[in-house]
Amino acid sequence: AFFCAFFSLLCAFALLIDIGSKWVIIGKRLPGNYSWDKNSYIQRWQIHLAVQSFRQSIGYGKFGVLDLLGGSVFLNMYYRLLGAKVGKNCVLYPKGAQPRMTEPDLVEIKDNVSINDAVVVSHVNSRGLFVLNRIVLGSGSSLCNGSRVMTGAILAPSTVVHEHSLVFQGESTTEGEQVIGWPTSYQPYNNLI
């Protein structure tokens, strides 16, 4: 009983450190260009990643704190506290992922969205220019195992990004569309049945 209580408190403390350091060190992320040599954002992000290693070091066996919360309302609360807009009835990372959302405050997740072992990346780093953009995941969308959504992407309602598929930077889907492959093939829902 003591171990369970101690471990629970340690996990909660690690999450509070993670959330607090994000707001103290980085603040609210905004879309835009962040040059490596003209802006301190990258250095502040690296400091935050170092602080996050404390949370990542706590877990049970091969499972980290976030893995233990996967698919629960508590993981949704965690991402909301980091600045993400998470709708109702969302299932986030029930099987975990590495990495998960890299910049949650630039991600808007509408109602009834499922994100499995997928990567949601709101940045692109090209030749010393670090660019942040928003990502919108429409109502009823689903990101399957190994899928990836890149910066600036907008998924329309009921979009399914299939296993090991990619939504490229700045792309938009139409309602009910199926994203298949890498490079991507877009199919309306009724073509797959």
Side-chain angles (χ1 to χ4, degrees), residues 51-125:
V51 172
Q52 270 189 330
S53 67
F54 173 67
R55 181 211 10 106
Q56 293 168 344
S57 69
I58 296 172
Y60 187 76
K62 66 178 185 169
F63 300 104
V65 176
L66 297 183
D67 293 321
L68 299 174
L69 299 177
S72 74
V73 67
F74 300 110
L75 191 61
N76 296 0
M77 286 173 36
Y78 168 76
Y79 281 116
R80 285 184 187 114
L81 289 171
L82 288 175
K85 295 177 183 169
V86 181
K88 293 183 272 181
N89 302 320
C90 292
V91 177
L92 305 181
Y93 304 110
K95 292 176 53 180
Q98 196 59 20
R100 291 172 174 86
M101 280 184 252
T102 54
E103 295 88 11
D105 37 3
L106 293 174
V107 178
E108 182 178 355
I109 303 169
K110 305 285 188 174
D111 297 339
N112 306 309
V113 171
S114 172
I115 302 176
N116 210 334
D117 182 5
V119 179
V120 180
V121 179
S122 297
H123 71 268
V124 64
N125 180 16

Side-chain angles (χ1 to χ4, degrees), residues 160-180:
V160 176
V161 183
H162 285 273
E163 288 80 2
H164 305 288
S165 297
L166 170 69
V167 178
F168 284 104
Q169 175 182 344
E171 285 190 328
S172 297
T173 63
T174 58
E175 187 168 351
E177 196 162 42
Q178 307 287 306
V179 179
I180 303 168

Side-chain angles (χ1 to χ4, degrees), residues 33-38 42 124-131:
N33 299 331
Y34 298 88
S35 179
W36 284 79
D37 59 346
K38 296 178 184 170
I42 303 300
V124 64
N125 180 16
S126 177
R127 300 181 187 205
L129 185 61
F130 198 84
V131 180

